[in-house]
């Protein structure tokens, strides 16, 4: 890709951030609308989980395919296709006549969304080649998540109260069209020097693993954890995982290059992404239902109540990006782990819901933690990899985020559904949510411990060794054909 002017690079960054904004804003705004959607569409707790997880599940399943495809056929081409599909899916969601149609149209959205975030990150990585400049660009990218966190609940609440939940999807239409036109005009085409071949078997195994696991978790509270259907799906998930671990290392160009995980920082970033976004998905899901269904707030009032969390995420995300660029990821990860765990403990052990000052303290702590965690995840995932692998590496990081969100909503929603099943919803909600808060606290503790373990000198040496192996043998096999 030819060298771009500073102005052109900033425009490319702005376009990529627009794509992230519509994907992130869509999810955060939709959480506020869940109670309204439940009433209009007659949905159960599981039905509300599916409106979130149908999107994140498809997204997680296709992100790695989108990243490798973009490296092969052209990042701008795949990015444009993603914008078209996401915008079309948003339009269809706004017209959905029932829950089943909404879930299906959310999956169309997700197919388009899978072509946006990892491909945009790959475009940024190849546009900003100097490490410090790239870290700052990624910090801006992380700040967009903060903007969506701050604006999503407020905009979503305002639209739900004034127009209706369908208006949330209308937001994506002008932004998606503007991003498409700007992409055609300003984003240059780029490809990896050596294209990776498709891996259809690996892709099907990933879909089987994530789909079966999510279905088993969401439906188990109603069907029963030992019912034949749930056991079948759980067994399918385990079998798909084992097949992936056996099959992928044998391929010359696998969908998931397991050599990436020889890098301790990369493996740590993957685990941290799953834990942090599982905590976020569960946090938003529980709080939205509590504020509207238990306290009786309107959607806008609930969005205003969650503003402290969103505002701190907005403030801390770019600060974390600059901190990662100047001092590395360790401090950001430690702060994130401590504050997210403390937030979960406040709700789990001290019933922060019952005291408004404690409630806001928990929101502030979680906002600080989530704001600090995103930039080190992204920077660590891509900075130690060869530029030719940027699309796949970024896709693994993005997949980890979506897997985390999917599992967070599925697990915490299942715990909540089991606690309130067959009893008055508002009367049992607080007690039923207590185990969910302990899970969120545990996710924060995992961020702390894994962040401390995978950001030291030993971890950095493993990243350098892994990068050298990938440069020496990009296909994953030596000349003799053995897996390296």
């Amino acid at each position: 890709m030819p060298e771009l002017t500073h102005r052109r690079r900033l425009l490319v960054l702005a376009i990529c951030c627009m794509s992230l904004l519509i994907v992130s804003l869509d999810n955060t705004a939709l959480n506020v609308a869940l109670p309204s959607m439940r009433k209009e569409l007659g949905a159960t707790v599981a039905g509300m989980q599916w409106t979130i997880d149908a999107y994140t599940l498809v997204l997680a399943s296709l992100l790695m395919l989108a990243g490798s495809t973009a490296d092969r056929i052209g990042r701008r081409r795949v990015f444009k296709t993603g914008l078209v599909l996401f915008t079309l899916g948003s339009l269809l969601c706004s017209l959905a006549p029932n829950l089943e149609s909404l879930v299906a149209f959310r999956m169309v959205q997700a197919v388009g969304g899978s072509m946006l975030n990892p491909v945009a990150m790959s475009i940024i990585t190849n546009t900003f080649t100097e490490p410090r400049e790239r870290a700052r660009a990624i910090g801006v990218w992380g700040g967009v998540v903060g903007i969506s966190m701050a604006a999503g609940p407020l905009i979503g609440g305002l639209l739900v109260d004034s127009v209706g939940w369908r208006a949330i999807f209308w937001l994506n239409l002008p932004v998606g069209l503007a991003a498409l036109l700007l992409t055609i005009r300003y984003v240059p085409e780029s490809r990896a020097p050596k294209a990776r071949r498709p891996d259809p078997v690996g892709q099907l195994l990933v879909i089987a693993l994530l789909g079966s696991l999510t279905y088993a978790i969401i439906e188990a509270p109603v069907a029963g954890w030992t019912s034949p259907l749930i056991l079948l799906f759980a067994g399918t998930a385990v079998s798909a995982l084992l097949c992936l671990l056996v099959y992928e290392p044998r391929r010359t160009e696998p969908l998931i290059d397991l050599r990436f995980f020889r890098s301790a920082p990369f493996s740590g970033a993957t685990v941290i992404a799953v834990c942090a976004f599982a905590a976020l998905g569960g946090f938003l899901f529980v709080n939205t239902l509590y504020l509207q269904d238990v306290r009786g707030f309107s959607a806008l009032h609930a969005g205003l109540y969650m503003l402290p969390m969103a505002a701190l995420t907005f403030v801390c995300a770019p600060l974390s990006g600059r901190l990662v660029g100047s001092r590395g990821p360790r401090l950001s990860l430690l702060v994130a782990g401590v504050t997210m765990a403390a937030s979960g403990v406040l709700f789990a052990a001290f019933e922060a819901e019952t005291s408004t000052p404690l409630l806001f303290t928990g929101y502030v702590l979680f906002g600080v933690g989530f704001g600090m965690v995103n930039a080190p995840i992204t920077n660590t995932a891509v900075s130690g990899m060869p530029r030719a692998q940027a699309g796949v590496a970024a896709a693994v990081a993005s997949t980890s985020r979506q897997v985390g969100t999917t599992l967070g909503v599925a697990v915490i929603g299942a715990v909540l559904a089991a606690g309130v099943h067959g009893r008055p919803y508002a009367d049992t909600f607080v007690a039923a949510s207590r185990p969910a808060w302990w899970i969120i606290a545990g996710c924060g503790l995992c961020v702390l411990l894994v962040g401390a373990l995978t950001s030291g000198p030993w971890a950095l040496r493993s990243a350098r060794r892994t990068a050298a192996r990938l440069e020496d043998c990009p296909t994953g096999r030596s000349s003799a054909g053995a897996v390296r």
Side-chain angles (χ1 to χ4, degrees):
M1 185 173 69
E3 186 68 25
L4 303 178
T5 65
H6 180 67
R7 177 177 175 274
R8 183 82 173 270
R9 289 200 300 273
L10 291 179
L11 279 170
V12 171
L13 176 61
I15 295 165
C16 292
C17 287
M18 288 172 69
S19 72
L20 176 62
L21 180 63
I22 57 176
V23 173
S24 301
L25 189 65
D26 183 84
N27 261 340
T28 54
L30 191 63
N31 268 280
V32 178
L34 287 177
S36 297
M37 295 165 61
R38 179 172 63 86
K39 293 173 184 175
E40 181 178 329
L41 302 177
T44 61
V45 172
M48 289 184 287
Q49 288 174 271
W50 279 118
T51 62
I52 302 295
D53 274 358
Y55 177 84
T56 56
L57 178 61
V58 173
L59 203 62
S61 298
L62 298 180
L63 281 169
M64 285 177 286
L65 174 63
S68 59
T69 301
D71 283 347
R72 182 172 63 255
I73 70 172
R75 296 173 181 124
R76 186 178 73 160
R77 179 182 299 177
V78 172
F79 191 69
K80 288 190 299 182
T81 304
L83 286 170
V84 170
L85 285 175
F86 188 87
T87 305
L88 176 61
S90 298
L91 176 62
L92 292 174
C93 286
S94 71
L95 303 174
N98 50 49
L99 179 65
E100 292 76 14
S101 299
L102 178 62
V103 170
F105 296 150
R106 288 280 286 164
M107 295 172 75
V108 174
Q109 259 192 316
V111 174
S114 70
M115 303 179 189
L116 297 181
N117 286 5
V119 180
M121 179 51 62
S122 183
I123 291 171
I124 290 174
T125 303
N126 282 270
T127 301
F128 296 88
T129 55
E130 195 273 321
R132 187 178 294 272
E133 188 181 43
R134 181 172 58 196
R136 289 175 180 154
I138 291 174
V140 173
W141 170 268
V144 173
V145 177
I147 293 173
S148 71
M149 285 288 296
L154 289 176
I155 295 175
L158 182 62
L159 289 174
V160 170
D161 284 353
S162 60
V163 182
W165 61 265
R166 297 176 188 275
I168 289 173
F169 296 105
W170 299 343
L171 286 176
N172 300 328
L173 305 184
V175 180
L177 291 173
L180 177 62
L181 295 175
L182 290 171
T183 299
I184 295 171
R185 176 68 179 83
Y186 291 108
V187 176
E189 185 61 279
S190 63
R191 296 177 178 83
K194 185 181 186 306
R196 299 170 64 84
R197 288 181 293 181
D199 180 9
V201 174
Q203 182 62 62
L204 289 174
L205 288 173
V206 167
I207 293 172
L209 168 62
L210 297 178
S212 301
L213 179 62
T214 304
Y215 184 91
I217 293 172
I218 290 178
E219 299 297 334
V222 176
W225 290 96
T226 57
S227 70
L229 183 64
I230 298 303
L231 292 177
L232 173 63
F233 276 92
T236 301
V238 172
S239 300
L241 175 60
L242 293 175
C243 290
L244 269 173
L245 295 176
V246 172
Y247 174 78
E248 289 296 279
R250 298 176 180 274
R251 279 190 56 85
T252 303
E253 295 180 352
L255 176 71
I256 306 173
D257 196 333
L258 299 181
R259 294 176 303 157
F260 285 4
F261 295 95
R262 296 177 183 174
S263 165
F266 183 88
S267 297
T270 302
V271 173
I272 290 167
V274 171
C275 292
F277 278 78
L280 175 67
F283 190 98
L284 293 175
F285 190 81
V286 172
N287 269 287
T288 296
L289 297 181
Y290 169 74
L291 292 174
Q292 296 187 55
D293 288 345
V294 179
R295 287 210 175 187
F297 291 166
S298 67
L300 178 58
H301 196 177
L304 289 170
Y305 245 66
M306 294 172 68
L307 186 59
M309 178 195 69
L312 266 296
T313 300
F314 173 66
V315 170
C316 291
L319 291 178
S320 178
R322 287 195 288 272
L323 190 61
V324 170
S326 61
R327 299 186 58 180
R330 188 179 184 85
L331 182 58
S332 291
L333 291 174
L334 297 182
V335 171
V338 168
T339 51
M340 292 176 77
S343 175
V345 169
L346 268 183
F347 287 94
F350 299 99
E351 297 187 352
E353 303 100 324
T354 61
S355 167
T356 298
L358 277 182
L359 182 75
F360 285 139
T361 302
Y363 286 177
V364 166
L365 287 171
F366 194 89
V368 170
F370 189 73
M372 296 297 290
V373 81
N374 206 36
I377 290 172
T378 304
N379 188 70
T380 303
V382 302
S383 61
M385 298 296 162
R387 286 174 60 190
Q389 305 283 353
V392 179
V396 173
S398 295
T399 299
S400 303
R401 290 182 175 89
Q402 300 306 325
V403 168
T405 302
T406 302
L407 293 179
V409 173
V411 171
I412 289 175
V415 168
L416 187 62
V420 301
H421 184 61
R423 286 174 283 179
Y425 187 76
D427 296 342
T428 59
F429 188 94
V430 173
S433 67
R434 200 67 55 230
W437 286 115
W438 281 118
I439 293 172
I440 291 172
C443 288
L445 182 61
C446 185
V447 170
L448 172 64
L449 296 178
V450 175
L453 179 65
T454 60
S455 58
W458 161 78
L460 296 177
R461 287 195 296 272
S462 75
R464 287 192 289 268
R465 288 195 300 269
T466 301
R469 290 193 185 103
L470 291 171
E471 290 279 15
D472 292 341
C473 187
T475 63
R477 293 178 180 269
S478 66
S479 59
V483 177
R484 301 239 334 175

